[in-house]
Amino acid sequence: MIVTPTKLESCVLIEPRVFQDDRGFFLETYNANRYREAGVPLTFVQDNHSCSKLHTLRGLHYQIDRPQGKLVWAIRGEILDVAVDIRRSSPTFGQWYSVILSSENRRQLYVPPGFAHGFCALSEGTEIIYKCTDVYSPAGERTIAWNDPTLAIEWPVETPLLSPKDSEGVLFADAELFD
């Protein structure tokens, strides 16, 4: 597998080794030893599967009480995946990174605990899977506005499909962040 550091501290792009022939393909989506060696040292305790309509935008989500690291990949279609460093003590605090994850490129993005995460579906019926390092905590969930002017994330759509929760995200300046 190829591991590429991103501009954000501890956030890495992973390209698993794919074995492909005339029958199809095989790849290892996760191996604790290999991922630990690649700088993804945490244990995952929950797997999530999401399906989204074209131009659905989910995020920017995080949990303040039980921060989750996430290993994200698309199994159908493609997304623009976004990680935002919201750790005040980090040298990359307030910076974001985006990458296309698709069923074609089979890339994965590791988003460490202490980051906000979001994505936009770039195809109809996009499905993603992501492993989490902690369980879902509804009481601790927070949402930063997807279109926050301070972050100025370059989303691929101007009027995405949003949930009520994502429509009501707070500005980055007003968000409860990590020290």
Side-chain angles (χ1 to χ4, degrees):
M1 85 183 163
I2 299 170
V3 179
T4 306
T6 69
K7 69 178 187 177
L8 302 179
E9 183 183 47
S10 305
C11 185
V12 295
L13 183 64
I14 300 166
E15 296 179 62
R17 188 169 175 204
V18 179
F19 301 91
Q20 191 155 347
D21 61 26
D22 59 349
R23 300 169 297 158
F25 73 89
F26 171 85
L27 68 99
E28 197 172 73
T29 59
Y30 179 72
N31 176 305
N33 291 334
R34 285 194 185 104
Y35 280 61
R36 187 176 302 105
E37 290 169 7
V40 181
L42 301 169
T43 300
F44 294 100
V45 298
Q46 179 177 316
D47 286 355
N48 297 330
H49 185 160
S50 170
C51 182
S52 300
K53 292 181 177 181
L54 177 65
H55 297 156
T56 294
L57 194 149
R58 299 180 188 266
L60 300 162
H61 302 149
Y62 63 101
Q63 292 183 175
I64 199 69
D65 62 339
R66 300 185 76 148
Q68 292 179 312
K70 298 176 181 176
L71 180 64
V72 185
W73 68 95
I75 61 169
R76 180 177 176 207
E78 70 178 15
I79 62 170
L80 177 74
D81 205 33
V82 176
V84 181
D85 190 344
I86 60 172
R87 305 168 298 173
R88 285 190 177 95
S89 61
S90 170
T92 57
F93 172 72
Q95 295 180 35
W96 57 272
Y97 172 78
S98 68
V99 64
I100 300 288
L101 302 179
S102 72
S103 55
E104 293 292 317
N105 69 27
R106 299 182 185 102
R107 292 176 171 169
Q108 300 174 327
L109 184 66
Y110 175 64
V111 181
F115 281 63
H117 175 254
F119 67 90
C120 182
L122 302 177
S123 53
E124 187 62 45
T126 297
E127 293 186 50
I128 69 165
I129 292 179
Y130 55 103
K131 300 178 97 42
C132 300
T133 61
D134 207 340
V135 296
Y136 176 62
S137 171
E141 185 174 38
R142 303 290 185 270
T143 304
I144 295 172
W146 68 275
N147 57 351
D148 179 88
T150 302
L151 296 175
I153 295 169
E154 297 170 10
W155 294 105
V157 295
E158 291 182 25
T159 53
L161 296 174
L162 299 168
S163 70
K165 173 180 72 174
D166 292 341
S167 296
E168 298 168 4
V170 301
L171 292 176
F172 182 69
D174 299 327
E176 190 177 357
L177 305 173
F178 298 99
D179 288 327

